[in-house]
Amino acid sequence: MKISKKIKGYAVVKPEDTTKLVPAAEAPDSAPSVPMAEIIQMHEKVERPESLIGATYKIKSPLFEHSLYVTINDIVLNQGTEYELRRPFEIFINSKNMEHFQWIVALTRIMSAVFRKGGDVTFLVEELKAVFDPRGGYFKAGGVYMPSIVAELGAVIEQHLKMIGLLHDPELDEHQKKLIAEKRAAYDARSKKNAEPAGLTIEGAGNGGFNVSFAGAGAETAAKAATEANAFPPGATMCHKCNTSAVIIMDGCATCLNCGYSKCG
């Protein structure tokens, strides 16, 4: 091959490479180059747009007099293409309580810097949820135990990452779903059976019996309301695996109605 132009670059062709080098002069003009779409990934040099989409979450803790409001804003990368991604960009925490203002500002700045750095930011969830308060934790609505206010902040970030698709709940297999459904049905049937004799015995007991029946009905209604609110029986204890008050005792075996954990295997 005769070289008639100045060499501007070169490449080494390996034996296993089946592609052939075609001189520029012999290249067909009928094959125009197809422009490749540039896929933008999250990195620290991505500039903040004028507006961002996000969500605000309320944290009500017995450790604080006033509620915390956590706002997480997201940036949309490759908008309008098949590679569109929604990634967290910044986080703000606001409250009337100024007692912990310094560590709140420091925490939000660090987390925002991690978000903008890109890569896998899901590790923040486990790091925050592993923080324990030496004074003890608390139960939030739904019977889920929170070891500290920082741990609940981690739970909020986890909820947001699940909403935008960065995290996914581990799905239970068919055997676990069947076991939970059977245990829940057996527990409800036993509770209903235990409540029926009391109503039948008191029905014709006179005036005092009427008062007791009324109290029993009120207690049953309250228990039912509590069950519907928490989605688990009111007498359930906390599961050490998922930190949810959903463990019941059936046939001498402790079983969690939330994650399917059982001491009997």
Side-chain angles (χ1 to χ4, degrees):
M1 181 183 296
K2 183 179 179 180
I3 301 176
S4 58
K5 295 183 180 180
K6 183 179 179 181
I7 299 175
K8 296 183 179 179
Y10 67 91
V12 179
V13 180
K14 298 181 180 179
E16 60 269 17
D17 191 0
T18 58
T19 60
K20 298 181 180 180
L21 294 177
V22 180
E26 300 177 6
D29 298 333
S30 59
S33 59
V34 180
M36 300 297 292
E38 183 182 359
I39 304 175
I40 301 175
Q41 300 292 341
M42 191 63 195
H43 55 85
E44 55 188 351
K45 293 184 179 180
V46 173
E47 296 184 0
R48 187 190 190 281
E50 292 294 330
S51 61
L52 294 173
I53 58 176
T56 301
Y57 304 87
K58 179 180 178 180
I59 296 179
K60 181 63 177 176
S61 169
L63 303 180
F64 281 1
E65 181 181 357
H66 301 285
S67 300
L68 294 178
Y69 295 90
V70 182
T71 300
I72 305 177
N73 292 330
D74 305 320
I75 186 172
V76 180
L77 302 174
N78 310 303
Q79 191 170 8
T81 68
E82 58 178 330
Y83 305 105
E84 182 172 315
L85 299 172
R86 181 173 171 179
R87 293 293 180 264
F89 190 83
E90 59 192 10
I91 181 172
F92 303 99
I93 302 177
N94 189 26
S95 176
K96 291 182 179 179
N97 187 6
M98 301 296 290
E99 180 182 357
H100 304 283
F101 176 76
Q102 293 186 21
W103 71 261
I104 286 179
V105 171
L107 193 61
T108 54
R109 288 191 177 184
I110 291 174
M111 286 192 292
S112 297
V114 172
F115 290 158
R116 294 169 186 171
K117 190 76 174 177
D120 185 12
V121 299
T122 57
F123 73 93
L124 284 176
V125 174
E126 295 300 326
E127 294 294 335
L128 295 176
K129 291 176 69 174
V131 177
F132 291 81
D133 192 331
R135 298 175 296 175
Y138 57 92
F139 286 92
K140 70 174 188 177
V144 180
Y145 178 74
M146 286 294 149
S148 65
I149 188 67
V150 178
E152 186 165 1
L153 179 60
V156 166
I157 296 177
E158 181 181 26
Q159 179 184 352
H160 186 80
L161 295 183
K162 288 179 180 178
M163 183 188 70
I164 65 177
L166 273 181
L167 284 177
H168 303 279
D169 284 323
E171 295 185 0
L172 301 176
D173 56 27
E174 294 300 326
H175 177 72
Q176 289 177 316
K177 292 179 180 179
K178 184 179 179 181
L179 175 64
I180 292 176
E182 291 176 353
K183 292 293 184 181
R184 184 61 183 266
Y187 185 87
D188 292 340
R190 189 182 66 176
S191 301
K192 185 178 180 181
K193 183 178 179 181
N194 292 339
E196 284 177 355
L200 293 173
T201 305
I202 298 170
E203 185 176 353
N207 228 3
F210 176 77
N211 292 334
V212 176
S213 175
F214 181 81
E220 185 180 351
T221 304
K224 184 178 179 182
T227 303
E228 292 176 352
N230 297 332
F232 300 113
T237 57
M238 187 179 70
C239 175
H240 297 288
K241 184 177 180 181
C242 63
N243 289 338
T244 304
S245 296
V247 177
I248 61 171
I249 304 296
M250 290 293 297
D251 301 327
C253 183
T255 305
C256 179
L257 298 178
N258 182 55
C259 65
Y261 171 76
S262 175
K263 286 189 175 181
C264 301

